[in-house]
Amino acid sequence: MKDSTTLQLTEGQQLALDQLHRIVQASHGAVAATHVAAVADRPGHVEARISVGCANLPRTEGGLRLRSVEAVTLLIPPDFPFRAPSVRTRHTRFAGAPHVNWGRHLCLYRSTATEWDPADGMYGFITRLLDWFEAAAAGELDRPGDPLHPPNALTDHTAGLLVIRRDAPVARPDGPWLGAAVLHQANETRCDVVGWLAVEDPWPGSPEQLRESAALPAGARAFLAPAVVTTTHLTFEYPLTARELVEALARDHITPRLLLGLTGFVADHNRTLLHPDGDAPDEDDEDTPAAPVHLLLGTPSRGIAGDGPRQTHLVAWHLPDFADQVGRLATRTAFSGRPHLAELGDEVIQFGTEWLDRLPTRWMRIYEARPEVTVRRDHTTPAAWLRGKRILVLGAGALGAPVADMCARAGAAHLTVADQALVHPGILARQPYTDADIGLPKASVLADRLNRIDPYTTRVEALVGDITTRLSGLDLHTFDLIWDCTANRIVRARLEHARRTDTAPWPHLATLMIGHHATRGLAALSPRGTTGGGGDDVLRRTALAAHTDATHAFDDLIEDFFPAQPPTELFQPEPGCSDATFTGSAADVTALAGQLVTGILHALADPADRHTMATLIIRMPAGPTAAQPAGPRWLTWPDDTLVTDEATGYDVRITPAALAEMRAEARRGARVRGPFVETGGTLLGAVDDATGVIFVDEATGPPPDSLLTEAYFQHGLDGVSHHLAARREATGNLSRFLGMWHTHPRTVAQPSATDRAAMTSLTLPLNDAPARALVLIAGGPDPVWHKWLATGDGPDLYAHLAARTAPAAAEPPSPQPLARLGPVTWWPGGYATRPHGPVPLPRKGFRS
C-alpha cells in the first residue's frame, strides 16, 4: 500500500488503514491494497483503492459477469468507525444492477443504523464487500422476498416536497398511462397526492367537485399535476437534464408532443379550477399566478423480487413557473380535448423544444405514504385493531388525552373526545397542553391537535359539556370502542344503566383508572355481548377478587382502589374546592396509559378473549433495590347467567360460582333425598338501584335447621348470621345478604301460592336483614331439570326482588301441605342423610 504519511488523517481513518493493512496481510492475496489518497469530491474523506479476487466465486447465468480481479475504491469518512465507509467502482459495468447506485456506488447496507457495527470496523466492512461480490456472481443481490431497490433521483430540497398518499396507477401492456394526479397543497412547499385521474376519466369542472372526489375538506386548495406511468423500467438513475429525460421517455412512445400536450392541458385545466367564479385571466395576462407545476413520472421499478410484477415507483419533476406558458399557448392550438393531446401548434412545439433543451431536472423530495409500497410501523401490534374504527374517548385529561392520541396515531377513522373541563395552569405538568391553551376547553384543544396528525385518515370531533348528559345525544351503537377515562362514578353508573336498558348491541367498553400516586393502573374491559354491562360491574368483580384472594397478592390494589373506608387525605392541587386527583408525572401517566391501552387491544384482537370480561392490573417499576411485585396481571370472568326481574325490570346477574353451588346442592339433594324434594339456601350479593342490576355473587346450601319437603322449602337460621358477617368482612362489605333461593324440581320455575304468601315476610329475622330480598327459583320441566343436573346447562329461573310488607316480628304463615300428599316427610338441611316425619310445627324461618 502506498505510503499515507503525507496525508492528514484523523484518528479514525488511521485506525481504518491499520485494520485494512492487517486484512491484506492475512488474506493471502485475496485482497490487495494499492493506493491511498485524499478524495477530491468529498472533503475530509480518504480513499483506499483495493482489488478483490473473484475468480473462484460460484457463478450463475443470471449473475453479474465479474472479472477475476475486481478493483474498487473505499471512501473512509473522517469520523470512522462511527460512520460506515462507502465503496464505488472505477467503471460502470455494474450499472443497472440491483444495489448499484449511479452506475458506480455499491450499496452494501440497507440500513447502516442497524447493520453497521462500529466495533467490527474494516473487518466487518470488507467481509460485507466480499459477501456482496459473492451474491452478485450468484445472481442473488435480490433474493426472493427481498424488497427491490428503487431507482435514484438526485432530489433538490428547494424544489419542494411531495407526499404520495394514494396507490399509483399502472400502465397497460400496450401503452403508458396518461392523466393527472390530484394534489392537495398542504403548505407553501408541500403537496400531497390524494387521487388520480386518467385522461379518459371525467375530470371535475369545479374546485368543489375536485375536493369531493378526493375527500378533502371545504376550502382546501387542490389542483392537478400531469402524470405519466411508463410500461417499462426506464433507468436506475434519473437524468439531470430535461433533454435526457425526454429521450428516455421517447423509448416508451411518450413523445415531446404528447408530454407537452398533457402538461399544457393540465395547466389550462388548473387555471379554470383556480378561478371558479368566472374571473379566469385573459390568455395574454402573463402576470396571473398559476398553480405550481409538477410532472409526476412513474415506472414499474418497485416490488418484491420473484414475487409478482413490479409496482410503480414515483418521482416528481418540479417545473419552473414559466412552464405555465405551455398551457397558455396550448389553448390557442387545435387541440381542445383529451383525445387530441398530441395535436399541438408549431408555436407550442418551438417553445417547448427550447424549454426542454435548456431546462434542468429538479426532482422533488418524495415521501411515500401509499399502502401498496409502505407498511405501517404498527401493523403487527395490538394498535392495528384501531385502524378504521370509530372510537369514543370520555375524558381528555391525564389518561384520556394520551389514549386519544394513541387512537389517532393508530389510524382510527373517527374519534370523538368528550370533556367539560378547561385547561388550567396546574395540568400542564402532566397533560399534553400548552400555556396558550389555558382557559380553552380541553376537548376542543385536543381535537384540533389530533386532527393534524393524519387529516386524511382520522377525523377527530370534540364534545364539550357534561359527559353524563351529553351521552344521551350520542348514537353509541355507531362506535366500536368506548374508553372511559373519567374516573367518575357517575359516568360509570350512567354507562352501566344505558348499556343495560339498550336492546341494541353495544360497543366494547374499557374503563381506565390510575391509583393515588400513579404507581398502579387498572383497565376493566366489558367486551361487546358480555353479560357484565360496564365498568361498574367489572370493577366490582375486581374488588371482590382482590379482597378474597388468600395470597394477599392484591393488598396494594385494595388500598389504592378499593379501600373498605374511603381515604381521608385527598390531594387537591389548588386551594379551595378543586377536584381531588392523584399525584404523578407526565412520565407516570403516559407509561400507565400505554400499557393499559396495549393490554386492552391485545384482548380485543384475540378472538379467544372477545367475550371475556377482564381487568388488567399494571404496577409501575420501582428502584433497583425495591421489592418488585408481579408484573402485569389479568383477572378474567366468564359470562353470568342473566335473569330479568319482570316486576322491576332489573337485571339479575348470577355468577357461575353461585349457580354451580346451587346445582351441586340440587344434585346432592336428588341423590340423597329423592328427585322431588326441594332445597335452597342463602344468596349473597348486592342491589344497585342506580343501574338496575342485582349481583348474585354466592349461594349457600340449606342450614341444618331448614325444612325440606316435596311441597315446600323452609329456610333455617343456624349459622346464617355468622356466615353473613364473615363474608361481609372478607369481601370488604361488597357482598352482603341478598335473598334466598330454592328449587322446584321437574316443574315450572314460578312461585307457588305458598311462595307468594311468604314473600310479604320473606326477610330472615336477622339484625341486619334488609327490607327487601331477592327470591330466586330454579326449576324446569323434566328434560330441562335433568339436563341441568347432568351437564350444567342452565335451568329455568325465576327472580323477583320482593319488598317486605308484613312487620318484621310477625310470624310467617304456617306451611300448608297439599291435601293430596297426605302426611309430609321432611328432611333437615345440612348433611343429614335420613328423613324425618311427619312435618313439625312451624318455626321461625322462610318458607316457600
Side-chain angles (χ1 to χ4, degrees):
M1 193 184 325
K2 184 177 178 179
D3 185 20
S4 60
T5 56
T6 59
L7 295 175
Q8 296 295 321
L9 300 176
T10 65
E11 182 181 355
Q13 289 169 333
Q14 187 62 59
L15 172 65
L17 294 178
D18 291 344
Q19 291 178 340
L20 182 59
H21 179 70
R22 289 192 286 271
I23 291 170
V24 170
Q25 287 183 323
S27 70
H28 304 292
V31 178
T34 61
H35 180 77
V36 175
V39 183
D41 58 347
R42 291 196 182 184
H45 283 64
V46 172
E47 69 175 30
R49 298 182 182 180
I50 68 171
S51 58
V52 179
C54 300
N56 297 325
L57 293 179
R59 304 174 185 235
T60 63
E61 184 177 349
L64 290 181
R65 297 176 61 86
L66 302 179
R67 295 175 177 173
S68 59
V69 176
E70 287 288 351
V72 295
T73 299
L74 308 184
L75 306 179
I76 305 171
D79 50 352
F80 178 91
F82 305 109
R83 188 150 57 100
S86 58
V87 58
R88 63 188 179 190
T89 64
R90 303 172 211 169
H91 54 76
T92 58
R93 288 184 289 109
F94 299 158
H99 308 289
V100 179
N101 297 336
W102 306 109
R104 297 178 184 272
H105 292 266
L106 307 186
C107 184
L108 303 188
Y109 300 93
R110 288 197 181 127
S111 171
T112 56
T114 56
E115 296 179 311
W116 167 253
D117 186 352
D120 291 341
M122 291 300 293
Y123 301 104
F125 186 79
I126 295 300
T127 299
R128 194 84 173 199
L129 177 62
L130 297 176
D131 290 343
W132 192 96
F133 277 117
E134 183 177 354
E140 295 179 349
L141 285 176
D142 274 325
R143 293 179 174 86
D146 287 349
L148 292 174
H149 202 303
N152 292 278
L154 287 178
T155 58
D156 183 347
H157 288 194
T158 64
L161 169 64
L162 202 65
V163 181
I164 315 295
R165 296 190 174 275
R166 295 291 180 266
D167 289 347
V170 178
R172 298 185 302 270
D174 59 343
W177 184 93
L178 300 175
V182 180
L183 303 187
H184 171 217
Q185 188 164 6
N187 54 45
E188 292 183 358
T189 59
R190 172 188 140 198
C191 291
D192 292 2
V193 177
V194 294
W196 302 92
L197 293 170
V199 291
E200 61 269 18
D201 293 337
W203 286 25
S206 68
E208 291 75 20
Q209 292 178 359
L210 184 62
R211 286 190 286 263
E212 183 180 356
S213 68
L216 294 175
R221 190 168 192 259
F223 55 93
L224 304 176
V228 175
V229 180
T230 64
T231 59
T232 59
H233 176 66
L234 294 184
T235 177
F236 209 75
E237 292 87 30
Y238 286 110
L240 301 178
T241 68
R243 173 53 58 191
E244 291 176 299
L245 177 60
V246 170
E247 290 174 354
L249 291 173
R251 294 195 295 269
D252 201 41
H253 308 291
I254 302 173
T255 65
R257 283 180 175 270
L258 193 61
L259 191 63
L260 292 171
L262 179 62
T263 303
F265 178 80
V266 173
D268 183 64
H269 200 81
N270 277 333
R271 295 172 69 221
T272 302
L273 289 173
L274 296 175
H275 299 279
D277 299 326
D279 58 346
D282 184 78
E283 295 175 5
D284 296 325
D285 182 7
E286 298 185 1
D287 295 329
T288 303
V293 180
H294 310 308
L295 173 65
L296 272 70
L297 172 61
T299 60
S301 308
R302 276 185 177 269
I304 301 298
D307 187 23
R310 294 189 178 190
Q311 295 169 313
T312 301
H313 173 70
L314 290 168
V315 292
W317 182 13
H318 175 68
L319 305 179
D321 294 339
F322 67 81
D324 185 54
Q325 181 68 17
V326 175
R328 301 178 188 276
L329 293 173
T331 59
R332 306 172 185 167
T333 65
F335 85 94
S336 59
R338 288 180 288 277
H340 310 289
L341 289 178
E343 298 179 10
L344 298 178
D346 293 339
E347 185 179 5
V348 178
I349 292 298
Q350 181 180 356
F351 173 83
T353 302
E354 295 175 355
W355 170 53
L356 293 174
D357 280 336
R358 65 174 182 265
L359 188 67
T361 50
R362 296 177 61 201
W363 299 110
M364 304 175 68
R365 282 184 299 156
I366 296 288
Y367 285 164
E368 290 284 11
R370 49 183 164 133
E372 63 184 344
V373 297
T374 60
V375 179
R376 287 183 59 92
R377 287 163 170 78
D378 61 356
H379 77 287
T380 60
T381 69
W385 183 90
L386 291 164
R387 187 159 180 81
K389 299 292 197 301
R390 289 178 56 86
I391 309 296
L392 172 61
V393 180
L394 303 179
L399 266 179
V403 168
D405 186 277
M406 294 170 200
C407 294
R409 295 186 187 280
H414 188 277
L415 188 61
T416 300
V417 182
D419 201 310
Q420 67 173 339
L422 306 179
V423 177
H424 58 84
I427 69 169
L428 302 185
R430 66 186 182 208
Q431 297 185 26
Y433 302 101
T434 67
D435 181 81
D437 302 326
I438 292 175
L440 301 177
K442 284 185 183 181
S444 299
V445 173
L446 184 61
D448 289 343
R449 178 169 64 80
L450 298 184
N451 270 318
R452 294 194 293 271
I453 292 176
D454 188 352
Y456 301 100
T457 301
T458 303
R459 177 174 173 265
V460 186
E461 178 184 4
L463 191 67
V464 180
D466 179 52
I467 294 176
T468 58
T469 56
R470 296 301 297 273
L471 280 175
S472 59
L474 290 174
D475 187 1
L476 297 175
H477 309 104
T478 64
F479 293 99
D480 298 289
L481 171 64
I482 299 175
W483 297 100
D484 177 12
C485 304
T486 62
N488 187 310
R489 290 178 178 270
I490 300 173
V491 172
R492 292 202 298 271
R494 179 64 66 91
L495 286 170
E496 185 84 50
H497 181 271
R499 196 175 191 194
R500 182 188 68 78
T501 56
D502 201 335
T503 58
W506 254 55
H508 306 294
L509 173 60
T511 303
L512 274 54
M513 298 177 65
I514 285 181
H516 294 300
H517 302 291
T519 56
R520 303 171 191 87
L522 291 181
L525 175 63
S526 302
R528 178 185 288 113
T530 55
T531 56
D536 258 1
D537 185 314
V538 180
L539 287 174
R540 183 178 182 277
R541 297 169 195 267
T542 307
L544 279 171
H547 279 286
T548 57
D549 180 69
T551 67
H552 299 281
F554 304 109
D555 286 356
D556 61 329
L557 209 68
I558 295 172
E559 181 182 354
D560 222 357
F561 296 99
F562 313 114
Q565 297 295 329
T568 57
E569 294 184 5
L570 300 176
F571 174 60
Q572 293 180 287
E574 284 84 28
C577 296
S578 63
D579 290 338
T581 185
F582 60 92
T583 58
S585 67
D588 297 327
V589 296
T590 303
L592 284 170
Q595 294 180 81
L596 295 172
V597 167
T598 298
I600 291 297
L601 296 179
H602 260 300
L604 294 179
D606 187 348
D609 293 337
R610 286 182 185 165
H611 300 291
T612 301
M613 292 174 285
T615 290
L616 172 62
I617 303 164
I618 297 293
R619 296 178 172 97
M620 291 286 285
T625 60
Q628 295 283 359
R633 179 80 178 268
W634 280 99
L635 299 174
T636 60
W637 301 270
D639 273 351
D640 295 330
T641 296
L642 187 62
V643 190
T644 301
D645 177 0
E646 299 296 339
T648 63
Y650 285 11
D651 276 357
V652 180
R653 298 175 186 171
I654 308 171
T655 64
L659 193 63
E661 179 61 31
M662 287 186 263
R663 175 173 174 261
E665 169 58 28
R667 283 167 56 86
R668 192 180 76 86
R671 185 176 63 254
V672 174
R673 308 180 192 106
F676 297 101
V677 176
E678 295 185 9
T679 187
T682 308
L683 299 174
L684 289 88
V687 179
D688 187 337
D689 291 301
T691 62
V693 178
I694 302 173
F695 300 99
V696 180
D697 304 323
E698 302 178 32
T700 68
D705 61 334
S706 299
L707 185 150
L708 291 67
T709 76
E710 294 185 3
Y712 56 86
F713 166 74
Q714 180 173 287
H715 198 296
L717 302 179
D718 287 355
V720 174
S721 293
H722 177 76
H723 177 74
L724 292 177
R727 295 312 295 161
R728 280 197 308 274
E729 182 178 357
T731 62
N733 203 36
L734 289 171
S735 195
R736 304 175 293 277
F737 171 76
L738 179 64
M740 282 76 66
W741 70 276
H742 69 279
T743 61
H744 285 180
R746 301 187 178 185
T747 187
V748 293
Q750 290 292 327
S752 64
T754 303
D755 295 333
R756 296 187 184 280
M759 285 183 185
T760 60
S761 56
L762 53 79
T763 304
L764 290 172
L766 304 172
N767 294 333
D768 59 351
R772 58 183 179 173
L774 178 68
V775 175
L776 186 65
I777 302 173
D782 191 74
V784 173
W785 184 258
H786 177 75
K787 191 172 184 179
W788 181 46
L789 297 187
T791 67
D793 286 357
D796 292 343
L797 293 167
Y798 167 86
H800 176 54
L801 184 62
R804 183 179 62 209
T805 58
E811 285 292 326
S814 299
Q816 300 294 327
L818 298 177
R820 64 179 178 83
L821 294 178
V824 177
T825 300
W826 64 277
W827 294 74
Y831 292 93
T833 59
R834 294 181 179 277
H836 295 248
V839 67
L841 294 175
R843 299 164 298 160
K844 290 184 178 180
F846 169 59
R847 301 175 189 78
S848 66

